Amino acid sequence: MVAGARGGCALAGGAHRGLLALLLLVSAPLRLQAEELGDGCGHIVTYQDSGTMTSKNYPGTYPNHTVCEKTITVPKGKRLILRLGDLDIESQTCASDYLLFTSNSHQYGPYCGSMNVPKELLLNTSEVTVRFESGSHISGRGFLLTYASSDHPDLITCLERANHYLMTEYSKFCPAGCKDIAGDISGNVVDGYRDTSLLCKAAIHAGIIADELGGQISVLQLKGISRYEGVLANGVLSRDGSLSEKRFLFTSNGCSKSLTLDSDRQITASSSWQWVNEIGEQVLWSPGQARLQDQGPSWASGDSSKNHRREWLEIDLGEKKIITGIRTTGSTQSHFNFYVKSFVMNFKNNNSKWRTYKGIVNNEEKVFQGNFNFRDPVRNNFIPPIVARFVRVVPKKWHQRIALKVELIGCQITQGINVTMVVVPLALLLVLLSVGIGIFAVLRRKRKKGHPNGSAKSQKRDCWKQIKYPFARHQSAEFTISYDNEKEMTQKLDLITSDMVDYQQPLMIGTGTVTRKGSTFRPMDTEADQAGTSAEACSHYDCPPSSSRHEYALPLTNPEPEYATPIVERHLARAHTFSAAQSRYRVPGSQQAHKHSLSSGSFSPAAAAAVANSVGYQRPQGPAPAGPGYDQPKAGGCLPAMRAEPDYQKPQMNDAYSAPRDCLKPLNQTAVTALL
């Protein structure tokens, strides 16, 4: 019986061993299937053209017998850039532990152990499969890999620090997914960051880039400071730091100013808490107390239960603005440990519906990390920014009671406007202005060509200006006396007397020599060969020449004799006569019955003298001139010859005519006073 019992036990033991072997055979494919599913992959964040990937437990030891396989891509037509930030695989032969990159046409690796692994790989494809496999090992961190498209040749890994670069200013591209990579940062966006901080993680903390997207950063290195203050921002906690030789700051677009609220009425809430203190006074935690810069308690909701209706704090900015971030605190009162742990953002504009701010990658409601105590402020940035007038902070989780103080960060919507929106209209305006000026100049030039001597109105204005100031010198102050060459045209000269009681001498218009083309007066620079023409001029009217001047009038080419007659001022009130104080000078006079005309042929010095004696005139008051009042005719001149010729032609006059300026002596001071 005993032997039978032993045989039965042995039989049963063999059956158990067979069953165990069968279980091992069945579980082996399941274990291999688990490895193929990627249980060896760690942190993976991918976006359109960049991403980050690590082995499991990085930077701790990766597990035994694991497989991680992942295909990464960038937009088609772009080349793929791979950068290995860290590679620590225990195997030296790459038999069971290795990292391998495979594309459709090439294979890169395997890499393991202490091999000389390239830090960057530029592939000729836009897609690659990453395979990491591990066997039995004791230590090893595994790997950390970042990638981007060929549009970002300045790609860096999440492990790069500022003290790795000696340049004062530089720009780099951070991949997506660096927020949760192990590594410390010290400082804040205002004072700067210690140079031992991770660059990409600090950029996320500062709100320069979003962890889901990555992006370009511009770094400026400065001299270090004695202490760096750590704060929580964008889900990244920076630590306090000590003195360092250098620090760095990020340059941004400048849209990071505090959006101030001038009135308590700009802040409203779903409810408010009324608290009764120890002495029975009611203290209201109203929405108007929700400004971060104000002292005292914050806003608190009226209900502290976690199952109450949705609470919110609303802010009216007065106009549409760009909102790039928000800073929040809790109650700020040590006896009231109230704060909001997480929240979402709603926004709208005038006459629109409320919308919820969503994430870029998954297009779902984005939950922002709030405060971790009642005192310290926390900052969250909006990438992309919110453009709205009304915003609401809607708490999701809180400690004891909802309590908030807020400060919105941003800028006016007109700030950061595209330069072309200003330059292009300004350039068009300048072009139109130039064209208008050119057209005006052309029209003015054509008008001048049509009226070479100016308009009649301007000539009349210049004439009166010269009569008012007879002794003023002007470049073009003379009159051009024209003559009619037709012998049949009868010319009449109305002799009008002045309405002044005293005798007024003829006005002399200008004192210089006429130089304008078309004048009947000979210029100062007359050619020397014209000096011998005095014999021809004896048959015409001549004024006695001055000792230092040329004769003032020259004969025209007309065969008929012509002469220039002094201008008399025309007045229509009364008539007086000019009298010839000396003989042999002809002064026209007036008759009672009719006006004399030089063309009548009956004018003579004797008649003029008779008229003058019958009418009489008054001389101007003052001392009598030393010499005769008018220049005497030149001795041996041509006046008798002119008198002997009865059919000479007289000049035509309109209203007044100018006395030749070289034939009269200057008026004395008394005459000038009388004229003025």
Side-chain angles (χ1 to χ4, degrees), residues 133-256:
E133 186 173 342
S134 69
S136 298
H137 66 282
I138 299 174
S139 64
R141 294 183 303 273
F143 73 96
L144 183 144
L145 169 71
T146 60
Y147 71 93
S149 68
S150 54
D151 292 336
H152 308 291
D154 51 354
L155 170 71
I156 61 176
T157 69
C158 300
L159 300 179
E160 310 250 357
R161 301 179 185 269
N163 56 8
H164 294 169
Y165 301 93
L166 301 178
M167 297 174 291
T168 303
E169 296 184 40
Y170 54 90
S171 178
K172 298 296 179 180
F173 181 82
C174 289
C178 289
K179 184 181 77 170
D180 295 328
I181 298 300
D184 293 338
I185 63 171
S186 299
N188 55 76
V189 66
V190 177
D191 301 326
Y193 297 89
R194 204 173 190 270
D195 62 345
T196 57
S197 302
L198 298 177
L199 278 172
C200 294
K201 197 169 186 177
I204 297 171
H205 182 272
I208 303 300
I209 61 174
D211 181 56
E212 303 93 328
L213 306 178
Q216 200 77 24
I217 61 172
S218 297
V219 182
L220 175 64
Q221 290 208 58
L222 301 174
K223 185 179 179 181
I225 57 178
S226 59
R227 183 179 179 274
Y228 298 90
E229 181 181 359
V231 295
L232 177 62
N234 298 304
V236 178
L237 178 62
S238 68
R239 302 181 181 274
D240 294 340
S242 59
L243 174 66
S244 67
E245 182 181 356
K246 293 182 179 180
R247 63 189 170 107
F248 64 92
L249 293 168
F250 296 102
T251 59
S252 61
N253 57 6
C255 189
S256 57

Side-chain angles (χ1 to χ4, degrees), residues 478-479 481 483 508-509 511-515 519-524 526 533-534 537 540-556 562-567 585-586 631-634 638-639 642 651 657-665:
E478 73 279 357
F479 292 96
I481 302 177
Y483 298 91
M508 294 190 298
I509 309 302
T511 57
T513 303
V514 178
T515 60
S519 174
T520 60
F521 307 117
R522 188 169 69 182
M524 291 292 293
T526 307
T533 59
S534 59
H540 300 280
Y541 181 80
D542 270 355
C543 185
S546 174
S547 60
S548 62
R549 301 177 182 267
H550 296 284
E551 295 179 359
Y552 77 97
L554 292 177
L556 301 177
E562 299 174 351
Y563 70 97
T565 311
I567 295 176
Y585 185 82
R586 300 180 290 113
D631 292 339
Q632 294 290 343
K634 186 176 181 181
C638 48
L639 185 59
M642 271 180 55
Y657 55 91
S658 173
R661 59 182 63 177
D662 291 338
C663 69
L664 297 179
K665 293 182 178 181

Side-chain angles (χ1 to χ4, degrees), residues 19 36 80 97 168 186 216 303-304 365 390 393 567 606 643:
L19 182 60
E36 293 296 333
L80 189 61
D97 299 307
T168 303
S186 299
Q216 200 77 24
D303 192 353
S304 61
E365 180 182 74
F390 302 94
V393 182
I567 295 176
R643 292 178 179 176

